[in-house]
Each structure stands twice: as C-alpha cells, then as structure tokens.
Amino acid sequence: MNPAKRIIVNTSVQYAKAIITMALTLYSTRLVLDALSVSDYGIYMVIAGVVAMLGFITNALAITTQRYLSYNQAQGDIVHLKKIFVNSLFIHLVFGLIVVAALLALQGILFDRVLNIDPLRIPTAQKIYVISAFMLLVTVLSSPYKALLIAHENIVYIAVVETVDAIVKLGMAISLAYISFDKLLAYQWMIATIVTLNLLAFSAYSLFKFPESAVVIRFRDLDSSYIKKITAFAGWTTYGMGCVAGRVQGTALVLNHFWGTAINAAYGISNQIFSAISFLVGSILNAMNPQLMQAEGHGDRQKMLEMAVKQSKFTTAILALVVIPLVAEMPTILDLWLKEVPEHTVMFCRMILLAFLADQITVGLGSACQAIGQIRTFTLLTFTPKLLYMPVIWLMFRYGSSVYDAMVLYVLLEVAVALVRIPYMHYKAGLNVGAYCRRAIVPVVLQSAVIAAVCWLCVKGLHFHFRFFITAACGVAAGLLSTWQFVLNDEERAFSKEALRKLTKR
C-alpha cells in the first residue's frame, strides 16, 4: 500500500476506534461510579493509580521496541529483527518482575503512612493493590507484541482488540448492578481478566503473523549487546514516562493526603476523560511514527522533520475539534453523564484537557528526537519539570493554595515544556524554527481560536436543554472550515480533494 494511503487508512481506523471506545469508556465510568459510590470509586482510582504510576516502564519499553524495530526494518534482516524482539521481550519480563516485587515490598508503607482510606475498606483496598500489581506484569508482557504490530503498521488489529476491550468493559460495568458481594473487588477481578485476554490476543496474532515474534525466550537468543543498547535507550524513555506518571499519579496522592478520597473521584473522572481523548492523538502518532523512524533509518532527515511537522499540526488540529467544544460545555456534559458530579470535576476536566491540547503543538518533535536517538538532554529538559510539579503543589497546599491554583500551574507548565522542544530540535536536528512556527503552530492557533469563538457564542447566546449538541455541531463545523483554510497547505488540500473524489465515486 502507498505510504500516504497507509497513514490515512490507519489514522481513519484508529480515529473510528477512538470515538467508539471513548463513548463506551465514558459510559462505563458512569455505571461504575454509580455502582461503587464516590468513596469506593475514589479508593479504586488512588490504588490503581499507585500501581499505574510504575506502568510508565511498560510504555517506555514499548516505545523503545517499536523504535528499534521500525528503524531496522529497512535492512530486511529477519535474524536481526528477531534478536531485537526476543531481547526486548526478555527486558520486559525482567522489568515487570522487578516492579511487581517493588510494589509488594512497598505495600505496608503505602497503607500505613501515605494513603488516606477509610479503615473499614483497607482490607479490600489491599486486595485491589495486589491484583493491580500482577495486572501490571501482564500489561508489561503485552507491550512488545503491541510494539511489533505498530512497527509493521498493523493498526487495524490493535483497533479491533481495543474496541472489543471497551465493549467487554461496558458489559462488566453493567453487570456490577447485579452483584451482591463486594462490587469493588469484583470489578478489579473483571479488569484483570480482560487484561489477560488482551495479552493472549496480541501474542497469538504476532506469533502467527510475524516471523521475528516469539513467546519462548531461549538462552541462545539473548545477546548482551542488544540488551545494553535497548536498555540504554529505554532508560531515558523510562525516565521521561516516569516523570509523566509521577506527575499524574503523584498528584492523586497529594490530593488524597490533603483532601481525602472524594477529590480523587473528581480527579479520576478527569483522567478517564483524558485517557479517552488521548486515543485521538495516539491514532496519528501510531500511524505516522513507523514511517518517521524509517525515514531517519534511511538517512532522510528532511523527510523525518517534515513528518514531525505534520504530526504536530494534525494531532493538534484534530484534538481541537473535540477538546474545545468539550471544555465549553463541560458542566452540562458532566451533569448528563454522571448521576452525581463530585466537586472540582469540571475544573479538573477543563484544565487537564487544555494542558493536553497545548502539549500537542510540538508533539511531533518528541517523535523526531526519538528517531535521531539523542534523547538524554531532551528528556531532562522536557520531562523533569513535570516530575517537579508534585512537590511544588504539596508546598502550595501546605501553605494554603487552592486546587484551582495548582491546576493553573499545571497548564502553564505544559505550555512551557511544549515550547522548549523547538529550540532543542533546532540545535540537535537542524529544525527551521521560523518554518516550524509558520507551518505547525500558527495554523492550529488560528483554527483553535475560531472554534473557541464559535463555542463561546453558543454558550453565551443559547439557553435550552441539550444545547451542547448545537455547540458541538457548530464548533466542529467551524473547525473543519478553519482547518481547510488555515491548517492544510495547497498540496494537502489537493490530496484531500482527490481522496474525496475517489471516495464519492465508489
């Protein structure tokens, strides 16, 4: 398949999957929150969050595996690719076991000194914690297979598995209403089951489809040079992902310490919405990253930087179509979605989504940095501030600052970190700063301003039930028009016209 067409197909499939899974996930959250109560849901979010905080290792290793597989595919050496995969699988297994052991060792300290949980629910919370730890190991082992699928640009299968995952989780959420024993513990066992089935789905398909895949790690396949190379790259990626996870889940711990489990429910709901929306960004990154890595592997730096510009531009433009109408109508949407909206939920949702949108203006430069392989300084500059956010808000709360103040800092920090990527990539990869701003930042800022203005007029000028449908429709329509006018260049408009012409002829 033509590379451009493959990107369009993969992005379209992922985009459709994102919409379906987002709707199912958000409705599942409503059912789970109603079945568990705000207090139990808060317990679930803070316990699962502690374990997920160390799940950054999974993402970091998966990114590294995908990078090396994509970068080396141009050589067509199956033996070399198999060694990369097997040694990566071995590293995943070792890291997973270490993390589980660390989590179990820290259990006593967390429950005795850190977590603020109703004493009557501590036994159940401890069981949730242990199950979550072993779920993390299963997720870690799934990552190299998912990375292999992405490297081969087989996005369709991933989309199918993740859509089925969302459907099954919705069924599980519905079933909670009919369970007579501890619903919180039952829900955790259900989630553990679906995570295990995902591992089986990804590994079985990869073993059948790709010759470099494996499920058995043989000693003769292990190579210290591969392990050192992958681990070195993964080390800095792990640090970066760890800073993000530390900020997200560390914030949950700080909030829990100062405000209790009720605010964790509000923060957890906002992160559920964030996770659902982030699928939109992942659709483009997963579709374009393999070709971006391959371009650098072929020595075509200009093509690689061009794809980085497109990544930043298109992820921001697509995300703005969804995020800005959501932010405008967040109170109404939450009231309709949830039977009981915890305090601060609207503010958390708005701030986290705006920060996420701001981060996307240079997201492609992060992929470009991974492609060139020089990530140490980049990681320190762009991820360390995220980790420092947690102790800063601890001090803010200690001296009387509000939750709102902390979330304003959250947004400003994301804007600053996004902008730091530009001069760094100019220095390391020869990025033309002026051209990047003209082609990636200015177009999406204009598009976002148009969407925001239209949504603001709808919110201020219309007052009736289900207004958010009108706001969303007008915002998306204005966004599509401004995308055509400001975001797409002449070549992209011509390509879009040709694609639409062929589509309408079928």
Side-chain angles (χ1 to χ4, degrees), residues 301-302 305 372 422-433:
R301 175 66 56 82
Q302 190 57 41
L305 289 174
I372 64 176
I422 299 174
Y424 181 85
M425 290 307 293
H426 168 70
Y427 173 72
K428 282 294 185 180
L431 177 72
N432 186 318
V433 174

Side-chain angles (χ1 to χ4, degrees), residues 377-411:
T377 304
F378 178 86
T379 302
L380 289 172
L381 284 173
T382 59
F383 288 99
T384 303
K386 298 176 188 285
L387 185 62
L388 294 177
Y389 174 77
M390 183 175 63
V392 169
I393 65 167
W394 178 284
L395 292 173
M396 289 174 65
F397 292 154
R398 183 76 179 269
Y399 291 100
S401 294
S402 68
V403 177
Y404 178 80
D405 295 333
M407 294 310 296
V408 169
L409 177 63
Y410 181 100
V411 176

Side-chain angles (χ1 to χ4, degrees), residues 4 80 99 103 130 142 161 179 195 244 265 270 273 283 297 400:
H80 180 50
V99 169
L103 283 169
V130 173
S142 301
V161 172
I179 291 176
V195 168
V244 174
S270 65
I273 293 176
S283 65

Side-chain angles (χ1 to χ4, degrees), residues 61-62 64-66 68-69 81-95 140-141 143-145 147 217 222 226-227 230:
L61 291 173
T64 302
T65 302
Q66 188 262 312
Y68 275 99
L69 289 170
L81 290 173
K82 187 175 182 66
K83 281 200 169 187
I84 291 173
F85 182 83
V86 170
N87 284 275
S88 175
L89 183 61
F90 174 74
I91 294 170
H92 276 75
L93 176 61
V94 171
F95 268 94
V140 167
L141 294 176
S143 293
Y145 298 104
I217 302 173
L222 300 180
Y226 283 86
I227 293 173
I230 295 171

Side-chain angles (χ1 to χ4, degrees), residues 152-264:
H152 281 278
E153 300 182 72
N154 195 333
I155 307 299
V156 174
Y157 184 75
I158 295 175
V160 170
V161 172
E162 291 180 347
T163 301
V164 172
D165 177 288
I167 294 170
V168 173
K169 285 179 179 176
L170 175 60
M172 291 176 175
I174 293 171
S175 70
L176 285 176
Y178 305 97
I179 291 176
S180 57
F181 55 94
D182 194 314
K183 297 179 187 294
L184 179 57
L185 188 58
Y187 183 67
Q188 184 70 342
W189 276 115
M190 291 175 183
I191 297 299
T193 301
I194 190 63
V195 168
T196 304
L197 292 175
N198 285 344
L199 169 61
L200 295 175
F202 286 128
S203 59
Y205 183 87
S206 298
L207 189 65
F208 174 75
K209 191 74 174 178
F210 309 120
E212 63 268 38
S213 180
V215 291
V216 177
I217 302 173
R218 296 176 297 186
F219 183 77
R220 68 171 182 267
D221 291 327
L222 300 180
D223 189 316
S224 60
S225 63
Y226 283 86
I227 293 173
K228 288 177 182 178
K229 189 191 312 182
I230 295 171
T231 304
F233 191 93
W236 288 109
T237 307
T238 299
Y239 174 79
M241 301 298 292
C243 289
V244 174
R247 192 265 308 276
V248 173
Q249 304 303 336
T251 298
L253 291 176
V254 173
L255 290 171
N256 175 259
H257 181 82
F258 284 95
W259 310 97
T261 55
I263 201 168
N264 285 116

Side-chain angles (χ1 to χ4, degrees), residues 104-144:
L104 296 179
L106 290 170
Q107 181 179 354
I109 297 174
L110 285 171
F111 280 91
D112 292 340
R113 301 181 185 179
V114 179
L115 299 176
N116 180 9
I117 296 173
D118 181 350
L120 295 176
R121 297 299 285 158
I122 286 179
T124 299
Q126 290 175 329
K127 293 175 184 177
I128 297 295
Y129 183 87
V130 173
I131 298 169
S132 296
F134 284 99
M135 281 170 55
L136 178 60
L137 176 60
V138 175
T139 304
V140 167
L141 294 176
S142 301
S143 293

